[in-house]
């Protein structure tokens, strides 16, 4: 891999930028691999990258049924934060935050990680009690956070409607200064380029159709490009986790739902941070292109259709206008849906499974993007050692049998 | 936007309804007889199919009654609507027994 630098930029300028090395290869699959990652989103590519780099597994393939980063990685609102209530979740997301902070350097690829801060608004007395509790818990876990009152909020974000006359008046907020946004596509591309440089084969347009097992062990995969032999399979397929689990003969505590997101027409810079509200339920930031990036909750029903209902669009927009009446005449440019796999306790499953050599990383619900590097890092450890890292041990599939759930519903500041 | 045919009130907008998740999950008659795996399976595991899904809906802003719907989770197209305690029309392969509320 040729390093990107100011010198390579100058050198390539001389040849009119026509001779850049391609960022990753598109090889045909080999007959056998030491490990195969199913799912070429951010989490899958990060897993392959850390498997190759940190654990010395060199013969790895990533199988993607579409194109890399074309699923939820390219369909989210790119918010990054780590202010989760419970120790297990805070430790996991904070690991990810630390990786984010060095990621562009690590990958030699600009993922445009921008620590512009994240506000979680409170609208009721109970919201504020929960915010105080969460910020205190965060600080005990080494996660930065402060509680701000309405006066401070209106000073920092003048056009946020902090009037007491609204239907759900804003009473304050938690603020994580290290939170922010990253460029979602760049995250997928950066990890793809990094993984490829370590010899990982990234195979696109290669859907997995079957998981072959012998004596309770994985032996290989049936794919659109033929049979691939492998003793280890990491499954990171977001919305389709239940489908893959079904191929391997077990059931999951997961339901797939559409989650919609929106961008407006590009406007001049107005919003230099990220605002989230649990009570009116919406979140908003502004991309470097100028468009407002908006999201809210899932559609209530199970769905795999990568689109949602109009009623959810209406609900989202009314929430955003409750907070920012100034945006009432901004037009929405695009709208899309991703399929998120939701868990009963709103926490992911990063775990071994009943099938030996088969590992699942799923159930991130509506908040997986922020965890991309950390998720890949702990999952790579799990696949390489056939044993979870201390950070992801609490997120086992077993917890639904033992009852050791990690209930992050609402406690995470917004319903993700 | 789904147009749902309530068995009592007829076709109404999705906004009038509340979704109730997978249908035909029967509460075990003798929970004490189950081990933890079986109880977890009842409590948490869901079939979550990519395709035809049997699910419960409640006409929250109407008659407030529960009923079952067969819907494709990819096209979102509703195949049939049937009452609680019934099986989907023309289909008797539900193995978990009676539908329940």
């Amino acid at each position: 891999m040729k390093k990107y630098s100011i010198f390579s930029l100058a050198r390539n300028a001389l040849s009119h930028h026509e001779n850049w090395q391609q960022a990753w290869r598109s090889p045909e699959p080999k007959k056998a691999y030491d490990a195969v990652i199913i799912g070429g989103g951010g989490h899958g590519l990060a897993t392959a990258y850390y498997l190759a780099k940190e654990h010395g597994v060199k013969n790895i393939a990533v199988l993607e049924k579409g194109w890399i980063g074309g699923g939820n990685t390219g369909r989210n609102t790119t918010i990054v934060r780590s202010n989760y209530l419970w120790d297990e979740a805070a430790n996991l997301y904070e690991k990810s935050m630390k990786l984010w902070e060095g990621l562009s350097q690590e990958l030699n690829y600009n993922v445009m990680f921008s620590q512009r801060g994240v506000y979680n608004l409170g609208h009721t007395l109970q919201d504020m009690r929960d915010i105080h509790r969460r910020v205190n818990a965060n600080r005990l876990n080494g996660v930065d956070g402060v509680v701000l009152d309405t006066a401070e909020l209106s000073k920092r974000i003048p056009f946020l409607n902090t009037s007491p006359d609204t239907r759900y008046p804003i009473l304050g907020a938690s603020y994580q200064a290290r939170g922010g946004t990253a460029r979602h596509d760049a995250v997928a591309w950066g990890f793809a380029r990094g993984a490829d440089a370590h010899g990982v084969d990234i195979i696109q347009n290669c859907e997995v159709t079957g998981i072959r097992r012998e004596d309770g062990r994985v032996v290989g995969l049936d794919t659109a490009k033929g049979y691939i032999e492998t003793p280890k399979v990491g499954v990171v397929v977001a919305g389709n986790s239940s489908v893959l689990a079904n191929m391997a003969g077990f059931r999951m505590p997961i339901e797939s739902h559409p989650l919609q997101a929106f961008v407006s027409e590009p406007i001049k810079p107005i919003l230099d941070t990220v605002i989230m509200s649990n009570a009116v339920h919406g979140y908003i930031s502004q991309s470097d292109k100028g468009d407002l990036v908006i999201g809210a909750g899932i559609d209530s029903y199970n769905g795999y259709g990568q689109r949602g209902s109009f009623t959810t669009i209406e609900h989202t927009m009314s929430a955003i206008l409750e907070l920012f009446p100034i945006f009432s005449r901004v037009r929405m440019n695009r709208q899309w849906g991703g399929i998120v796999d939701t868990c009963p306790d709103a926490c992911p499953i990063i775990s071994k499974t009943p099938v030996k050599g088969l590992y699942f990383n799923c159930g991130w619900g509506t908040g997986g993007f922020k965890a991309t590097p950390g998720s890949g890092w702990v999952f790579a450890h799990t696949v390489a050692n056939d044993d979870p890292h201390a950070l992801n041990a609490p997120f086992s599939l077993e917890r639904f049998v033992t009852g050791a759930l990690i209930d992050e519903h609402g406690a995470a500041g917004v319903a993700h | 936007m789904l147009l749902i045919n309530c068995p009592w009130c007829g076709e109404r907008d999705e906004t009038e309804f509340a979704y109730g998740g997978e249908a035909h999950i029967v509460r075990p008659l003798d929970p004490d007889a189950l081990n933890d795996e079986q109880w977890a399976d009842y409590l948490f595991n869901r079939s979550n199919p990519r395709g035809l899904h049997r699910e419960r809906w409640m006409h929250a802003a109407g008659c407030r009654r529960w009923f079952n719907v067969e819907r494709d989770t990819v096209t979102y197209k509703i195949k049939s609507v049937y009452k609680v305690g019934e099986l989907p029309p023309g289909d008797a392969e539900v193995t978990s027994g009676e539908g329940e509320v």
Side-chain angles (χ1 to χ4, degrees):
Chain A
M1 180 180 82
K2 285 186 186 142
K3 201 166 183 295
Y4 293 152
S5 68
I6 190 159
F7 303 110
S8 71
L9 190 64
R11 203 164 40 245
N12 280 281
L14 295 176
S15 55
H16 306 283
H17 296 293
E18 283 170 359
N19 295 317
W20 284 100
Q21 184 191 30
Q22 71 182 59
W24 56 86
R25 302 161 294 129
S26 294
E28 284 303 305
K30 293 184 225 165
K31 281 205 169 68
Y33 287 96
D34 294 342
V36 173
I37 306 300
I38 306 176
H43 289 232
L45 293 165
T47 305
Y49 172 76
Y50 290 116
L51 254 183
K53 180 169 174 267
E54 309 267 335
H55 302 282
V57 184
K58 292 298 174 199
N59 194 22
I60 305 171
V62 175
L63 307 182
E64 166 56 48
K65 77 170 171 179
W67 63 95
I68 60 166
N72 292 348
T73 299
R75 292 165 183 270
N76 66 85
T77 51
T78 77
I79 298 168
V80 176
R81 61 188 178 87
S82 61
N83 53 352
Y84 281 70
L85 174 68
W86 299 108
D87 296 352
E88 298 88 344
N91 292 338
L92 181 64
Y93 289 100
E94 181 59 19
K95 169 70 192 173
S96 200
M97 178 65 88
K98 293 216 167 80
L99 290 171
W100 276 115
E101 287 174 332
L103 199 60
S104 290
Q105 291 298 324
E106 154 102 26
L107 296 176
N108 179 230
Y109 199 97
N110 188 3
V111 298
M112 294 165 77
F113 180 50
S114 162
Q115 291 179 298
R116 56 184 67 186
V118 173
Y119 294 85
N120 294 105
L121 304 178
H123 299 259
T124 65
L125 196 56
Q126 188 57 45
D127 271 2
M128 291 314 296
R129 287 182 185 132
D130 289 341
I131 282 172
H132 276 282
R133 180 189 179 202
R134 178 164 49 75
V135 167
N136 286 336
N138 288 161
R139 293 168 73 139
L140 286 171
N141 277 320
V143 177
D144 67 311
V146 287
V147 180
L148 304 174
D149 62 11
T150 316
E152 179 66 21
L153 278 175
S154 58
K155 210 160 74 186
R156 292 187 181 196
I157 314 155
F159 49 92
L160 175 67
N161 188 7
T162 49
S163 155
D165 297 332
T166 56
R167 190 172 177 192
Y168 303 107
I170 295 165
L171 301 183
S174 71
Y175 178 62
Q176 185 181 19
R178 287 160 69 237
T181 59
R183 166 103 164 89
H184 51 2
D185 293 330
V187 176
W189 299 335
F191 273 119
R193 179 165 168 269
D196 183 85
H198 283 97
V200 174
D201 284 355
I202 297 166
I203 301 154
Q204 305 183 74
N205 298 309
C206 184
E207 184 169 358
V208 171
T209 52
I211 299 173
R212 289 203 208 169
R213 291 153 289 150
E214 271 168 28
D215 303 326
R217 281 204 66 91
V218 165
V219 292
L221 298 168
D222 293 307
T223 77
K225 299 194 176 183
Y227 179 67
I228 296 173
E229 201 181 306
T230 180
K232 283 189 173 188
V233 176
V235 180
V236 204
V237 294
N240 285 299
S241 306
S242 298
V243 178
L244 271 287
N246 200 25
M247 283 180 198
F250 59 92
R251 275 152 63 82
M252 292 288 267
I254 273 180
E255 289 193 292
S256 301
H257 291 268
L259 175 67
Q260 303 187 67
F262 316 86
V263 291
S264 73
E265 57 191 344
I267 54 177
K268 287 190 174 177
I270 181 167
L271 190 60
D272 62 357
T273 185
V274 181
I275 313 279
M276 314 179 76
S277 166
N278 200 2
V280 301
H281 208 169
Y283 35 91
I284 183 167
S285 63
Q286 187 173 22
S287 76
D288 293 338
K289 268 193 304 187
D291 31 37
L292 299 174
V293 184
I294 294 170
I298 55 173
D299 281 68
S300 65
Y301 50 77
N302 291 39
Y304 285 86
Q306 292 192 320
R307 65 188 182 282
S309 284
F310 188 75
T311 160
T312 308
I313 301 177
E314 274 188 317
H315 177 84
T316 307
M317 294 311 150
S318 61
I320 294 304
L321 291 188
E322 169 84 11
L323 305 175
F324 296 106
I326 194 176
F327 294 147
S328 67
R329 286 191 289 167
V330 175
R331 278 170 296 198
M332 288 298 121
N333 216 359
R334 291 183 293 123
Q335 165 270 346
W336 64 91
I339 300 307
V340 299
D341 46 352
T342 56
C343 256
D345 60 354
C347 272
I349 297 165
I350 315 165
S351 177
K352 297 167 77 167
T353 68
V355 179
K356 285 201 186 78
L358 181 67
Y359 311 88
F360 265 66
N361 182 351
C362 60
W364 290 92
T366 60
F369 177 74
K370 67 174 81 71
T372 304
S375 160
W377 194 88
V378 295
F379 196 44
H381 184 283
T382 309
V383 173
N385 299 305
D386 189 36
D387 205 28
H389 188 272
L391 284 172
N392 69 307
F395 298 92
S396 70
L397 192 53
E398 273 295 293
R399 76 178 187 269
F400 297 96
V401 175
T402 62
L405 305 186
I406 306 155
D407 183 9
E408 278 289 354
H409 276 292
V414 70
H416 307 272
Chain B
M1 180 77 82
L2 303 177
L3 196 60
I4 301 172
N5 189 11
C6 170
W8 289 279
C9 310
E11 283 191 342
R12 299 294 176 89
D13 257 6
E14 167 195 340
T15 48
E16 292 190 14
F17 296 87
Y19 180 64
E22 186 174 341
H24 305 294
I25 296 172
V26 182
R27 187 183 167 85
L29 286 173
D30 184 9
D32 289 342
L34 302 186
N35 61 29
D36 288 349
E37 277 84 14
Q38 291 166 323
W39 185 245
D41 189 59
Y42 158 70
L43 213 52
F44 297 122
N45 288 347
R46 295 292 176 262
S47 60
N48 193 26
R50 189 185 172 97
L52 208 58
H53 188 226
R54 287 159 185 170
E55 59 199 23
R56 304 178 304 167
W57 286 84
M58 196 260 279
H59 195 181
C63 62
R64 298 199 59 77
R65 282 198 267 194
W66 286 93
F67 56 94
N68 295 325
V69 170
E70 259 189 319
R71 186 179 57 90
D72 190 297
T73 57
V74 180
T75 63
Y76 299 168
K77 202 168 173 173
I78 292 173
K79 186 182 165 205
S80 66
V81 173
Y82 55 102
K83 291 180 181 172
V84 165
E86 293 178 356
L87 292 176
D91 194 343
E93 66 179 57
V94 175
T95 49
S96 50
E98 298 297 299
E100 43 80 60
V101 173

